[in-house]
């Protein structure tokens, strides 16, 4: 408790002393002598003032995003207290949680609870959007179910990303950013008018980073990246009542990410230079080596991403009504290379691998996957100013996924598995009917077959999934009076999902390996399921006066069924995972004057059939199994504000106090479980808050812009509780706080800007993710203090 009080005191003192910003959750950059600029959003599918819409929504403007100097959502999450980002070992496994709720799954046949939308296009995986962020107009984070507005399943919320449209003026921009650790980002943009009815833009970006970890095996840095991409837009006025927006995007990323550090002793190679400075678990408390920045890996964890995307949006005026159509196609190729044994000496020994993982076993994974998705949305909006404002639409989304996954691992014979494999080999390939133990032993001896740590076996799984989702949706307001409105919405949706899974042993004798199923467990599964759902929203909104309003809503969320389709899928995994549904209740208050904006919301959400991963170590290697883990609830309070204290000083902040807990746990079949009611939901910090300031010093021919932000994230658990209803010390991630600052020198009406940047000024070390096995953790870039510079020129 004293630690948290000290960090709160540091937040207040630092922000007020430095007088600066990274503008957490609300406003655009202020206009001098004119008060705060009005914030408009499109999260309700109309251009509206954020202070007037009856939804809990946080808005990150382009200025806020630029001022954070973050190249991915992992850094931007700090600016929205209700949001957490769980980074996986690859972008396909990364996930967003809102108000403590999100789907963290490795299955290729499950959808996220938080929907990610880019320029009106729903993405199949959150990781598609966050390989790199550039040239954004804003990010809107809507909390709570949003299906009646977006058509697609969005039971926990929506992250709505809007990129900048081309302007009519011919202009350009170049920007270069350089940080310690040989991290750089170069961006260029050119836009302008083609003719009286068309404008276009093209943005090109290139970035790279050596990495924040050091591999003692090959003396190279890891956890870095090499990214490049471009986005082209054409904004076309087809006729006086029809407009079209064409977007084409291509991006490539080659990241040696994300290596897991040994934050607690694994015992696999205690003599390694990368062994942690830790006493392990002491009196039930984990002695984390938060300073750990070394790994000892002989196989490089790496992710290669390639994205190609095209969309066209058409807006047509039909009298007083507006018809909108968004057609999109996206293709995403993701290849994962994973070091699974986490040591450089694994697979060297001629000894037998035992249940306590001695000697160290080899486990290396390679898994390419391709997603192809097509979506079509059509909606019509009524004119504003009538007794009823409404929108109605239809949505269709189809995604095909193909994945193969190969694991090379040490042979496993700690329970007589070799004899079983050879017996099967003699029957299936040698024509021996029911071989005796003597025949099996003689064959092993004659062929010189061994099954030790240095005998590497392999199997490959081929997985295919197809999602088809269509929905009819509508949302509206009934104006009872000038000050009072009734809110309503409904959605009918149909989900269909099919999968195939074929796993084949690549070993000559079909032997079992650590995490590798033998030939006797080859698979040829196929399955499918479908489900329909009707969900509703009801609410009311009342304008107290011209500056403030209150609202209350009840909304239902729905996320469709899935399957636990993964590499080591077994017969027991072929049953479908049932749908996840929720009822969300919210009361909100919003106030907006010329120099002060304040939002607050009290919420409670009850979720049935919560889809989540359970860790399973029964095979000697950590597996994650997607299940309907139980019924959970989340409740709490959120608040944020922006205050323009003077023409030159702006102060802002945000807070989320969230209690996400398990109400009822569904014990896995065949397991013995205790009650775990009241225990925390993973990756749901109880408290998260931010404070930020900006001060502008006006000089002759130059402005100096001072910025600072402080973000605190409470401790959190990284997994569901064990079957005996306990959280191991290793899964309880400590709290942390980040203090960032920058000072920018702006010349010639911001035609030129030079910025000095400081990140994590207090050098706070922390882990953001626990990856399993009792010792593996992720260390983000911002877990160390570092500095940088940025130069920007507009022409």
């Amino acid at each position: 408790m004293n630690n948290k009080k000290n960090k709160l005191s540091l937040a207040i003192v630092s922000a007020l002393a430095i007088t600066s910003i990274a503008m957490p959750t609300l406003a655009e950059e202020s206009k001098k002598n004119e008060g705060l600029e009005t914030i408009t959003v499109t999260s309700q599918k109309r251009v509206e003032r954020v202070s007037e819409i009856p939804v809990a929504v946080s808005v990150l403007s382009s200025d806020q995003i630029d001022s954070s100097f973050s190249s991915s959502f992992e850094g931007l999450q700090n600016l929205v207290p209700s949001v957490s980002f769980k980074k996986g070992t690859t972008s396909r496994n990364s996930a967003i949680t809102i108000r403590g709720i999100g789907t963290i799954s490795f299955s290729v046949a499950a959808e996220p609870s938080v929907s990610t939308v880019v320029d009106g296009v729903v993405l199949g995986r959150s990781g598609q959007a966050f390989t790199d962020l550039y040239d954004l107009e804003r990010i809107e984070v809507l909390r709570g179910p949003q299906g009646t507005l977006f058509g697609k399943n969005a039971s926990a919320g929506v992250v709505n990303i809007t990129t900048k449209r081309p302007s009519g003026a011919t202009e350009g921009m170049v920007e270069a950013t350089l940080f310690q650790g040989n991290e750089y980002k170069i961006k260029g943009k050119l836009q302008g008018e083609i003719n009286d009815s068309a404008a276009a833009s093209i943005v090109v970006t290139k970035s790279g980073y050596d990495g924040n970890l050091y591999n003692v095996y090959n003396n190279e840095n890891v956890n870095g990246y090499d990214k490049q991409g471009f986005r082209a837009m054409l904004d076309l006025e087809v006729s006086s009542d029809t407009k079209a927006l064409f977007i084409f995007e291509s991006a490539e990323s080659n990241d040696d990410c994300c290596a897991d550090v040994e934050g607690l002793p694994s015992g696999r190679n205690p003599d390694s230079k990368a062994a942690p400075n830790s006493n392990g678990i002491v009196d039930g408390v984990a002695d984390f080596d938060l300073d750990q920045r070394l790994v000892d890996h002989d196989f490089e964890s790496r992710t290669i991403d390639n994205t190609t995307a095209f969309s066209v949006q058409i807006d047509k005026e039909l009298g007083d009504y507006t018809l909108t159509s968004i057609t999109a196609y996206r293709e995403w190729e993701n290849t994962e290379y994973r070091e699974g044994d986490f040591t450089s000496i694994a697979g060297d020994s001629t000894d037998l691998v035992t249940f306590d993982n001695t000697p160290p076993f080899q486990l290396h994974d390679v898994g390419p996957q391709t997603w192809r998705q097509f979506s079509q949305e059509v909606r019509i909006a009524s004119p504003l100013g009538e007794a009823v404002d409404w929108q109605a639409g239809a949505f269709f989304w189809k995604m095909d996924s193909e994945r193969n996954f190969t694991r090379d691992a040490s042979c496993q014979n700690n329970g007589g598995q070799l004899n079983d494999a050879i017996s099967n080999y003699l029957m299936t390939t040698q024509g021996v009917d029911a071989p005796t133990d003597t025949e099996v032993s003689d064959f092993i001896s004659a062929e010189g077959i061994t099954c030790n740590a240095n005998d590497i076996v392999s199997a490959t799984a081929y997985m295919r999934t197809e999602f088809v989702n269509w929905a009819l949706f509508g949302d509206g307001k009934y104006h009872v009076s000038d000050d009072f409105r009734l809110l309503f919405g409904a959605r009918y949706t149909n989900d269909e999902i099919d999968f195939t899974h074929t796993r084949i042993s690549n070993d000559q004798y079909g032997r079992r390996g650590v995490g590798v199923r033998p030939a006797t467990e080859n698979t040829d599964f196929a399955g499918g399921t479908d489900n329909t759902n009707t969900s509703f929203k009801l609410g009311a909104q009342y304008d107290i006066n011209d500056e403030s309003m209150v609202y209350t809503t009840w909304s239902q969320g729905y996320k469709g069924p899935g399957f636990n389709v993964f590499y080591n899928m077994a017969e027991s995994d072929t049953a479908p995972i049932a749908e996840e549904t929720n009822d969300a209740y919210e009361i909100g208050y919003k106030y907006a004057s010329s120099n002060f904006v304040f939002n607050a919301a009290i919420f409670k959400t009850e979720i049935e059939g919560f889809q989540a991963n359970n860790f399973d170590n029964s095979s000697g290697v950590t597996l994650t199994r997607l299940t309907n883990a139980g019924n959970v609830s989340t409740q709490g309070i959120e608040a944020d504000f922006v205050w323009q204290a003077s023409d030159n000083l702006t102060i802002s902040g945000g807070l989320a106090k969230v209690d996400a807990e398990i109400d009822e746990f569904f014990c896995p079949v065949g397991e013995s479980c205790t009650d775990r009611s009241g225990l925390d939901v993973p990756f749901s910090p109880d408290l998260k808050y931010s404070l930020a300031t900006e001060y502008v010093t006006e000089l002759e021919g130059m402005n100096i812009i001072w910025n600072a932000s402080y973000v605190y994230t409470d401790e959190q658990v990284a997994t569901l509780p064990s079957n005996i209803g306990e959280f191991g010390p290793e899964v309880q991630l400590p709290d942390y706080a980040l203090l960032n600052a920058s000072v920018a020198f702006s010349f010639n009406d911001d035609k030129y800007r030079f910025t000095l940047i400081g990140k994590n000024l207090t050098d706070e070390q922390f882990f953001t993710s626990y990856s399993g096995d009792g010792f593996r953790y992720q260390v983000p870039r911002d877990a160390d203090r570092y500095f940088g510079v940025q130069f920007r020129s507009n022409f």
Side-chain angles (χ1 to χ4, degrees), residues 179-382:
F179 286 109
Q180 288 177 297
N182 198 28
E183 183 177 16
Y184 71 92
K185 184 172 184 178
I186 301 172
K187 181 173 69 174
K189 181 177 181 178
L190 184 64
Q191 64 178 350
E193 187 178 81
I194 299 175
N195 54 42
D196 292 341
S197 60
S201 67
I202 184 167
V203 183
V204 179
T205 182
K206 171 70 174 175
S207 58
Y209 174 45
D210 286 347
N212 64 332
L213 304 181
Y214 186 75
N215 190 351
V216 301
Y217 173 75
N218 57 13
N219 297 316
E220 294 182 357
N221 288 94
V222 295
N223 258 25
Y225 57 80
D226 183 8
K227 302 177 182 179
Q228 57 190 7
F230 76 92
R231 182 187 300 119
M233 285 188 175
L234 175 63
D235 200 351
L236 184 64
E237 186 175 344
V238 180
S239 64
S240 59
D241 61 3
T242 305
K243 295 182 179 180
L245 177 67
F246 299 88
I247 304 175
F248 178 81
E249 183 174 9
S250 177
E252 299 177 2
S253 178
N254 188 343
D255 306 347
D256 52 2
C257 172
C258 297
D260 291 316
V261 301
E262 193 172 333
L264 292 171
S266 70
R268 298 187 179 183
N269 189 7
D271 296 327
S272 171
K273 294 179 182 179
N277 181 19
S278 166
N279 295 313
I281 308 298
V282 181
D283 297 328
V285 178
D287 178 28
F288 294 113
D289 183 1
L290 296 177
D291 295 323
Q292 175 67 284
R293 299 295 182 270
L294 302 177
V295 296
D296 188 1
H297 297 170
D298 62 348
F299 188 78
E300 186 176 67
S301 291
R302 179 176 293 275
T303 301
I304 298 176
D305 282 310
N306 291 277
T307 299
T308 303
F310 175 78
S311 68
V312 55
Q313 176 175 332
I314 298 175
D315 296 292
K316 184 174 182 61
E317 303 298 326
L318 300 175
D320 294 332
Y321 296 84
T322 302
L323 179 69
T324 299
S325 169
I326 302 177
T327 307
Y329 175 81
R330 298 183 68 93
E331 185 169 311
W332 182 33
E333 296 180 351
N334 173 282
T335 302
E336 169 189 14
Y337 299 86
R338 176 177 175 269
E339 166 63 273
D341 54 67
F342 315 107
T343 177
S344 62
I345 64 171
D348 293 342
S349 174
T350 58
D351 293 334
L352 186 74
V353 176
T354 63
F355 279 114
D356 62 358
N357 300 329
T358 54
F361 57 81
Q362 176 179 305
L363 193 152
H364 296 161
D365 298 332
V366 178
Q369 181 166 352
T370 300
W371 284 266
R372 299 179 182 88
Q373 73 170 65
F374 170 82
S375 62
Q376 174 66 57
E377 179 180 352
V378 178
R379 64 178 186 271
I380 188 168
S382 72

Side-chain angles (χ1 to χ4, degrees), residues 408-426:
D408 298 303
S410 295
C411 193
Q412 191 170 18
N413 189 32
N414 51 359
Q417 297 97 329
L418 176 60
N419 282 18
D420 294 338
I422 297 303
S423 178
N424 179 72
Y425 174 80
L426 293 175

Side-chain angles (χ1 to χ4, degrees), residues 509-524:
Y509 302 109
R511 294 172 293 179
R512 178 183 293 274
V514 180
V516 177
R517 303 293 177 102
T520 54
E521 299 179 30
N522 285 349
T523 67
D524 188 12

Side-chain angles (χ1 to χ4, degrees), residues 21 42 169 192 212 262 288 329 338 361 378 389-390 430 436 441 467 519 536 543 545 551 572 672 694 718 729:
I21 167 187
T42 57
N212 64 332
E262 193 172 333
F288 294 113
Y329 175 81
R338 176 177 175 269
F361 57 81
V378 178
D389 298 332
W390 57 267
Q430 305 299 313
T436 64
S441 298
F467 290 89
F536 299 95
D543 295 337
N545 51 44
Y551 69 90
S572 59
S672 176
E694 175 182 271

